[in-house]
Amino acid sequence: MSALTTPKTDHRNSPRGGRTPSVRALVAVAADVVAPVWPLKTFIAVNPLQGLEDRPFEQAVLESERYRAAHRRADEGCEAVNRELIRWCSGFFDDGQAAIPMPGRRLGMYRAFADLARYDRTLTTSAKARAILATLPDSAEEAIAQCLDRLRIAADQRESFIRQQLAALPGWSGHVKWRESWQDPAERSKRPATLVDYVAVRLVLTCILWPRAGSAEMPNIEPPAFLAELPAAEERYRDILLGRLRPRAQALAGEPSTARRPDAQLVFCIDVRSEPIRRAIEDRGDYETLGFAGFFGVPVRVKGLGDDHAHDSCPVLLRPDHEVRDRVAEAPTALVRRHERGRALLRMPGLFYGRLKYHFATPFTLVEMLGPWLGLRMLARTFAPSMLARLAGSVRRVVMPPVPTEPVLQDIPLEQQADFGESALRTMGLTHDLAPLVVFCGHGSSTTNNAHASALDCGACGGNRGGPNARILAAILNDQGVRANLANRGLAIPADTLFLSGEHDTTTDRIVLDPASHASLDHQRRIASLRDDLDYAGAQNARDRAHSFGLPALDDDDCRRAIERRSADWAEVRPEWGLARNAAFIVGPRALTRGIDLDGRCFLHSYDWTSDPSGQILAAILTAPMVVAQWINSQYFFSTVDNVAHGSGSKATQNVAGKIGVMQGNASDLMHGLPLQSVHVDDGRPYHEPLRLLTVVQAPRSTLDDVIRRHDVLRKLFGNGWVTLACLAPDGNHAYLLNRDLTWREVDLAGVRPTPALACC
């Protein structure tokens, strides 16, 4: 899929001027001021100014700042509206934290509010308020129209006024936007809510608590300081990166293409955290690494063995058509029974503890019953987190011994499986000289007591771990029926090529390969050697990462222990840096970047322009993985420049709200960005350098021109300055930058000196 769209209709072109737009159309147009906010369990990076991407970058920033400034200057009435709306949103959207759920939620947000608000003593303090609540209309649209009349908002000011109301609490309104446009319909039906509902509830509260809201004026503001500083910082980084890549491009242009079959090929996610581990692996032997979106081209819903629910494991831009479940592979019946009994046994304490903890009548009894034991556990988690984690893992393996699993693919037709396999192999350029071992390596993280844990997992897998997708693609390509189908399409896989799956833990830097069934003796020998090299490369990468945490120089074993302690420590606010310091998205063959220390700042997507004469593969890369990278880049950018407005503040003062998000203190907006500790070394020093995404593509300019001409999303991102596009000409002698008017200019790199690493400027 190559379109950046939501499943809902876009009302941006609703009638104006001569025709009065409907209330629903007004809300849809005004909603551009907020971005969708995903829940914590699938925390998706998104540009907080995503709805404003059709404006130039600088204009969008100023517009966003202006609405924020308006609410910073608002009086107590606005604060009262916010306080009450937060309370109602917390109750309506609660996802299991409250012991007694809010009644009437299946009726929808506005209808539930209209039925219950008349009993809220906070709101019914005056006869006027009681009259408003007693005569609320049946529909949210009618309520909005009545409230706008009551507040005396002129017809030509209504869109702007509604936009101000949405911008007042962008976290909660953004969460409603996600529910309306992105959430699974079956889940949405349990607590239906639309932005029209949200605006109606807010305006009713405004009529009661802030009747003078219509007289508030929009302030004039000064441009943020970072807008003036940004171009120079971006130019500095861009020239250094292009200066280091161009000699490689020249070398590639002068080298004849030679067929070579490495010992193994490993396909990693394009995630910036994969770049240093790929270098470390390539240094260990005759290995070739490639980059591809971490869902590996398999957009499916997955349900692991023992999971309660299936989840979408693909980019949020896609909608999966198939569900893949794990089943037990070849294993003794007695072992399977022990595993199932152990799983049921291990779940009981958590269910029992959760019910007592969240019930309004039992928390004090729970403390009396379990206080001493929980106190000992707290001491162990604080002073010996690694030991406790190892002990818990050992107990888990004894009680619930692991069993081998395999994905069930029967629900996916063979032709569709072949489509998935062909698309993945051709997109990553893995169509010839396949190695005896080809490894698809997903990634995930391991942290403790971390509300934003899913933010460290694979964004291409919808904020989930990428291992399941790797196993699915490996199983597809090992199937003889699929291989025969691919051979008929001109994509022959050598008979001695074995596809494996694995997962890179980005917190501990351990790479675990899944068991390989039916592996020959030669394959087993190669796999054993590869595992040793992966362990060594992981230790090397962990040692390099340790410096970013301020740890002293340590040997491999001590460094491993220090890194793994951060993973297990429930008080650790920075178990890893995630994708901090990301700056560029490079599309080209691995030979273009191999051996260059890119300092973990670049998304790397494999691509060979010579095998893509139509530009179709390049279009798929730029309109899907690059867009996801731009969302990630923008989230880190804005969470760094203003963590209060666009981040989620300090972890030390966060509280989980309804299991869907975090608030600061006991009542705030739903914080929708990254925590302060994810982008800052301390309160005064940012770790992430805020730069807009630089996309570098090795391909003919004519191909890029054709791709951009065919896709609105690319013209929007490049033309409005959200992403900078650079082209490395195939001859290796020229580098070009795309101007905002979509014309090209050549970059003069004559005075740029090569640097050993692309460190933070």
Side-chain angles (χ1 to χ4, degrees):
M1 180 179 290
S2 63
L4 177 60
T5 59
T6 64
K8 296 292 180 179
T9 303
D10 184 1
H11 295 279
R12 191 173 303 279
N13 295 319
S14 297
R16 301 195 184 192
R19 293 176 57 191
T20 302
S22 68
V23 167
R24 187 170 294 276
L26 276 177
V27 173
V29 173
D32 59 8
V33 78
V34 295
V37 176
W38 270 258
L40 287 176
K41 62 183 179 182
T42 53
F43 188 83
I44 299 297
V46 64
N47 179 5
L49 274 58
Q50 181 250 348
L52 304 177
E53 286 176 350
D54 60 347
R55 284 86 148 168
F57 174 81
E58 298 80 6
Q59 179 185 336
V61 169
L62 288 174
E63 189 169 334
S64 174
E65 289 289 316
R66 191 162 173 248
Y67 283 109
R68 285 185 47 244
H71 286 281
R72 283 200 302 267
R73 294 175 50 182
D75 58 22
E76 294 181 2
C78 181
E79 292 300 319
V81 172
N82 288 344
R83 185 167 54 249
E84 290 304 310
L85 186 55
I86 290 167
R87 192 162 61 89
W88 282 94
C89 286
S90 299
F92 184 84
F93 295 118
D94 177 84
D95 197 24
Q97 187 169 349
I100 301 177
M102 176 179 169
R105 294 194 294 177
R106 283 191 176 274
L107 300 175
M109 183 181 183
Y110 170 74
R111 193 63 261 164
F113 168 82
D115 290 344
L116 296 175
R118 68 191 69 178
Y119 305 109
D120 187 342
R121 295 181 181 179
T122 306
L123 301 179
T124 55
T125 56
S126 68
K128 180 181 178 182
R130 290 192 292 272
I132 291 175
L133 295 175
T135 59
L136 288 177
D138 291 335
S139 75
E141 290 94 332
E142 292 178 40
I144 291 174
Q146 287 186 9
C147 290
L148 291 173
D149 290 338
R150 186 174 283 117
L151 294 169
R152 298 184 179 181
I153 308 299
D156 61 345
Q157 296 296 316
R158 293 190 169 189
E159 180 187 315
S160 177
F161 183 77
I162 292 174
R163 187 176 280 112
Q164 292 178 49
Q165 304 313 303
L166 291 168
L169 294 174
W172 285 112
S173 57
H175 185 67
V176 177
K177 189 174 188 178
W178 167 76
R179 284 181 174 271
E180 181 178 8
S181 299
W182 299 86
Q183 190 182 24
D184 178 72
E187 288 296 315
R188 184 166 63 241
S189 65
K190 297 177 182 178
R191 295 184 296 278
T194 66
L195 284 170
V196 172
D197 289 336
Y198 175 88
V199 171
V201 173
R202 182 174 182 91
L203 291 185
V204 171
L205 293 173
T206 301
C207 289
I208 295 172
L209 301 172
W210 191 24
R212 297 179 61 253
S215 62
E217 296 182 357
M218 292 288 289
N220 293 318
I221 62 167
E222 294 295 324
F226 72 81
L227 285 180
E229 302 163 357
L230 189 59
E234 291 177 335
E235 182 179 3
R236 184 165 57 247
Y237 177 83
R238 181 193 69 218
D239 287 351
I240 293 174
L241 178 61
L242 294 180
R244 302 190 70 200
L245 293 179
R246 195 169 71 167
R248 288 301 182 88
Q250 292 172 329
L252 285 176
E255 292 178 357
S257 178
T258 57
R260 190 184 67 83
R261 200 178 185 207
D263 290 339
Q265 292 158 325
L266 299 97
V267 184
F268 284 84
C269 181
I270 61 174
D271 191 295
V272 297
R273 292 168 292 181
S274 299
E275 185 269 321
I277 195 74
R278 289 174 62 180
R279 273 189 286 111
I281 291 169
E282 290 167 343
D283 288 343
R284 290 295 299 166
D286 186 15
Y287 299 130
E288 178 185 4
T289 68
L290 300 95
F292 190 68
F295 77 115
F296 297 108
V298 186
V300 293
R301 289 178 60 81
V302 300
K303 188 175 187 293
L305 185 68
D307 288 352
D308 292 329
H309 307 286
H311 63 266
D312 292 357
S313 191
C314 59
V316 296
L317 305 179
L318 305 179
R319 295 288 185 182
D321 294 324
H322 305 284
E323 180 172 311
V324 177
R325 300 185 175 216
D326 280 351
R327 68 181 175 194
V328 177
E330 299 177 2
T333 304
L335 180 65
V336 175
R337 288 176 179 171
R338 281 186 58 198
H339 176 87
E340 292 174 346
R341 286 197 300 267
R343 182 170 66 238
L345 185 63
L346 289 174
R347 292 185 63 181
M348 288 175 59
L351 293 173
F352 175 75
Y353 178 78
R355 289 177 180 176
L356 292 180
K357 178 180 178 180
Y358 291 116
H359 196 277
F360 71 93
T362 54
F364 294 106
T365 305
L366 178 67
V367 172
E368 295 293 335
M369 291 170 52
L370 303 179
W373 304 106
L374 293 178
L376 291 174
R377 181 169 176 264
M378 181 182 68
L379 290 174
R381 294 179 74 182
T382 302
F383 296 106
S386 298
M387 182 188 71
L388 184 64
R390 288 193 297 271
L391 178 61
S394 298
V395 170
R396 183 178 182 85
R397 286 189 293 273
V398 170
V399 175
M400 189 181 71
V403 293
T405 62
E406 61 185 6
V408 179
L409 302 175
Q410 280 83 349
D411 291 340
I412 305 178
L414 182 67
E415 194 72 18
Q416 180 67 74
Q417 292 184 41
D419 289 344
F420 287 153
E422 180 184 21
S423 175
L425 293 177
R426 291 196 186 281
T427 301
M428 66 182 71
L430 199 58
T431 57
H432 53 82
D433 301 322
L434 271 71
L437 296 180
V438 178
V439 182
F440 299 116
C441 190
H443 69 92
S445 64
S446 299
T447 61
T448 305
N449 191 34
N450 181 11
H452 290 87
S454 64
L456 300 176
D457 287 338
C458 183
C461 297
N464 299 287
R465 301 183 75 93
N469 291 70
R471 287 192 289 275
I472 292 169
L473 184 58
I476 287 174
L477 292 173
N478 282 327
D479 183 89
Q480 293 304 316
V482 171
R483 291 193 179 198
N485 191 303
L486 292 178
N488 292 332
R489 304 181 186 195
L491 188 56
I493 296 174
D496 67 340
T497 293
L498 177 67
F499 292 92
L500 301 174
S501 58
E503 190 169 80
H504 172 210
D505 189 317
T506 57
T507 312
T508 63
D509 267 319
R510 291 195 180 275
I511 298 178
V512 177
L513 297 181
D514 296 319
S517 60
H518 312 299
S520 67
L521 290 177
D522 179 62
H523 282 137
Q524 292 176 23
R525 177 184 59 80
R526 291 175 181 274
I527 292 170
S529 177
L530 177 59
R531 282 197 170 103
D532 291 340
D533 288 335
L534 292 178
D535 286 343
Y536 184 91
Q540 174 66 45
N541 200 48
R543 187 166 60 247
D544 293 342
R545 285 200 308 122
H547 298 301
S548 68
F549 298 122
L551 298 177
L554 301 169
D555 61 30
D556 285 355
D557 291 338
D558 288 340
C559 185
R560 277 285 197 195
R561 283 192 287 269
I563 292 295
E564 290 182 357
R565 177 189 172 91
R566 300 180 76 89
S567 171
D569 190 350
W570 74 326
E572 178 56 63
V573 294
R574 296 182 187 89
E576 63 162 285
W577 282 112
L579 291 89
R581 301 177 69 233
N582 73 83
F585 183 90
I586 301 176
V587 183
R590 177 56 174 161
L592 182 66
T593 56
R594 182 162 181 156
I596 301 177
D597 182 0
L598 297 172
D599 204 29
R601 304 193 67 182
C602 297
F603 301 90
L604 301 180
H605 201 300
S606 296
Y607 174 70
D608 181 4
W609 68 272
T610 61
S611 61
D612 183 32
S614 68
Q616 184 176 355
I617 294 175
L618 181 58
I621 294 171
L622 294 182
T623 56
M626 191 206 72
V627 171
V628 173
Q630 185 259 336
W631 282 13
I632 294 170
N633 172 269
S634 296
Q635 184 183 64
Y636 275 85
F637 182 104
F638 289 106
S639 292
T640 302
V641 298
D642 193 337
N643 195 256
V644 174
H646 302 299
S648 59
S650 174
K651 289 184 176 182
T653 51
Q654 286 178 356
N655 282 303
V656 174
K659 298 185 179 181
I660 60 169
V662 296
M663 296 192 299
Q664 283 294 327
N666 66 349
S668 79
D669 189 16
L670 199 65
M671 308 304 287
H672 51 283
L674 295 164
L676 180 74
Q677 289 84 356
S678 295
V679 291
H680 279 248
V681 176
D682 54 41
D683 289 351
R685 287 188 301 155
Y687 177 77
H688 177 72
E689 183 185 16
L691 303 174
R692 286 170 291 184
L693 188 69
L694 168 65
T695 295
V696 182
V697 180
Q698 187 188 39
R701 278 189 298 161
S702 58
T703 302
L704 280 167
D705 284 336
D706 184 57
V707 170
I708 295 169
R709 189 181 305 112
R710 288 187 280 117
H711 295 281
D712 292 341
V713 62
L714 299 181
R715 294 198 299 275
K716 177 176 68 175
L717 293 177
F718 298 143
N720 288 324
W722 294 92
V723 179
T724 299
L725 178 63
C727 171
L728 287 176
D731 63 10
N733 294 319
H734 303 280
Y736 301 92
L737 280 181
L738 187 69
N739 299 312
R740 290 200 183 183
D741 61 1
L742 304 184
T743 61
W744 296 94
R745 63 184 172 90
E746 188 166 1
V747 185
D748 181 10
L749 300 174
V752 177
R753 292 180 297 176
T755 56
L758 291 167
C760 187
C761 300

